[in-house]
Amino acid sequence: MGEVDTKGVVLLDFWVSPFGQRCRIALAEKGVEYEYREEENLLGDKSPLLLESNPVHKKVPVLIHDGKAVCESLIIVQYIDESWPHRAPLLPADPYARAHARFWADFIDKKIYECGTRLWKLKGEGHSAAKEEFTGILKLLEGELGDKKYFAGDAFGFVDVALVPFVCWFYSFETYAGFSIEELAPKLVAWGKRCMERESVAKTLSDPHKVFEFVGVLKKRFGVE
Amino acid sequence: MAEEVKVFRSWGSPFSYRVELALRLKGVAYEYIEEDLSNKSTLLLEYNPVHKKVPVLLHHGKPIAESLVILEYIEETWQENPILPKDPRERAVARFWSRFLDDKCSLALWMSCWTEGETQQNFMEQAKECLHLLEEELKGKKFFGGDSIGMVDIAASFIAHWLGVLEEVAGISLLDEEKYPNLCKWTEEFLKSDAVMECLPKRANLLAFFQARKHAISATKASV
């Protein structure tokens, strides 16, 4: 991960990226002042700052703190949690509870975006398989959340941060899948609304219709009808 | 009261090896439960219902799954011989390379050994890029973790032991000493550790296992 010539806290990001939004929410929860820099041409030529600070993956988000880059959204969120520990802890104190949170954040990271992408990219059998898999993912998350206010209990935390940006993608996933997320996972939808009552989340998440438009742009780029 | 630490593992799995190595580095006594991956136990499926995989660590009866999650838990629970640095940014760098090994590197290396033709060439190119990045990251260091074995070294144990076996089975060469002198030196240093050697599966057994698998795949293809 690169070292560059910037001061303070800079977040290299892209407006609709759910991964970038995780970082924005974490920074807001901690009250950290930072400079947001939009990677204007993410789907085209990447900026020199991005290529220098994330030479391995060349992806947003990248958090640059006093010139030193941190990459990969969940790693960035943990870095934020450890660097500003005195306010709004995102991971609990107990090692087992922390492991539990890391496990579910990892599950969300591996499954949601990848499977969700197949919902709008594929047709026929591939689409049916993606729909079934996504339903399974929702049910697992619904089960894990249960009747709790947030995933770790009463406090908004790591798993919530990992998942909540996808709430504004629900509309797109539902439309392309042909199912209702409210029907499949009502507790999850209620949790999403509760999270939206938090300023950090409300100010960060994109308008679901703008996300849907963006998916339309991606479909064109990938030559999907 | 003795701590109850159990590891659900499979003898040849580089992922369950990571967990055993971390426990040994920290001097933690544990019991292992061998899993037949073609016939998983009810207990394993109960403790890891989401992924149904090894490794699973059981501590005081509570299960934890996913090897990198388990490594973080081990680090936080037993303080001897830390495998992660204290500084938040250095920790982020260690986590980054551990994830890189899992998400990009393992797949490219593994698939290079099990595919053919153009597909294999593509995976081998990817694998070489991954090895090059790791080679650069090792510059000036004995281990990825610095002077002692850390989380990234543990995550990279696949390269130190399994890769050579797979290269032999596939008849290819990826970890070239001329191109990757740092990685080759790292392998030597890594394999000098007692903790590393104590629970490493025997090379001959791994070789026999993967060769048998290769024959089985060839036989299936021949009969199609």
Side-chain angles (χ1 to χ4, degrees), chain A residues 1-3 56-57 68-72 75 78-79 82-83 95-96 98-99 102-104 106-107 110, chain B residues 48 50-51 62-66 69 72-73 76-77 88-89 91-93 95-97 99-100 104 133:
Chain A
M1 298 190 301
E3 296 207 11
V56 174
H57 298 301
K68 292 186 175 170
V70 179
C71 307
E72 297 292 283
I75 294 176
Q78 285 185 86
Y79 173 83
E82 290 174 4
S83 298
Y96 186 76
R98 291 161 77 84
R102 287 187 173 119
F103 175 87
W104 283 102
D106 176 71
F107 174 81
K110 285 185 168 118
Chain B
N48 191 2
V50 174
H51 300 300
K62 291 181 179 175
I64 301 153
E66 290 299 287
V69 174
E72 297 254 11
Y73 176 83
E76 288 173 1
T77 306
R89 207 250 166 175
R91 290 160 78 83
V93 171
R95 286 174 177 140
F96 176 87
W97 289 107
R99 277 254 68 100
F100 174 78
K104 275 208 164 160
L133 286 165

Side-chain angles (χ1 to χ4, degrees), chain B residues 179-191:
Chain B
K179 288 196 190 123
Y180 312 107
N182 296 343
L183 267 174
C184 290
K185 188 85 183 69
W186 168 82
T187 299
E188 270 176 54
E189 290 298 332
F190 186 72
L191 295 174

Side-chain angles (χ1 to χ4, degrees), chain A residues 44-117:
Chain A
D45 290 326
K46 300 188 176 177
S47 75
L49 186 59
L50 177 61
L51 296 175
E52 235 183 287
S53 58
N54 190 0
V56 174
H57 298 301
K58 307 176 179 57
K59 283 183 180 176
V60 292
V62 181
L63 186 81
I64 309 174
H65 189 188
D66 292 330
K68 292 186 175 170
V70 179
C71 307
E72 297 292 283
S73 62
L74 291 183
I75 294 176
I76 295 171
V77 172
Q78 285 185 86
Y79 173 83
I80 292 167
D81 202 34
E82 290 174 4
S83 298
W84 291 277
H86 303 297
R87 182 171 153 174
L90 295 172
L91 277 172
D94 169 64
Y96 186 76
R98 291 161 77 84
H100 196 78
R102 287 187 173 119
F103 175 87
W104 283 102
D106 176 71
F107 174 81
I108 288 159
D109 216 29
K110 285 185 168 118
K111 302 280 183 182
I112 302 245
Y113 194 73
E114 191 279 325
C115 190
T117 299

Side-chain angles (χ1 to χ4, degrees), chain A residues 121-139:
Chain A
K121 253 193 184 172
L122 304 178
K123 304 252 176 257
E125 260 182 56
H127 181 268
S128 308
K131 184 173 169 175
E132 203 181 310
E133 213 184 303
F134 204 86
T135 305
I137 292 166
L138 288 172
K139 297 236 174 232

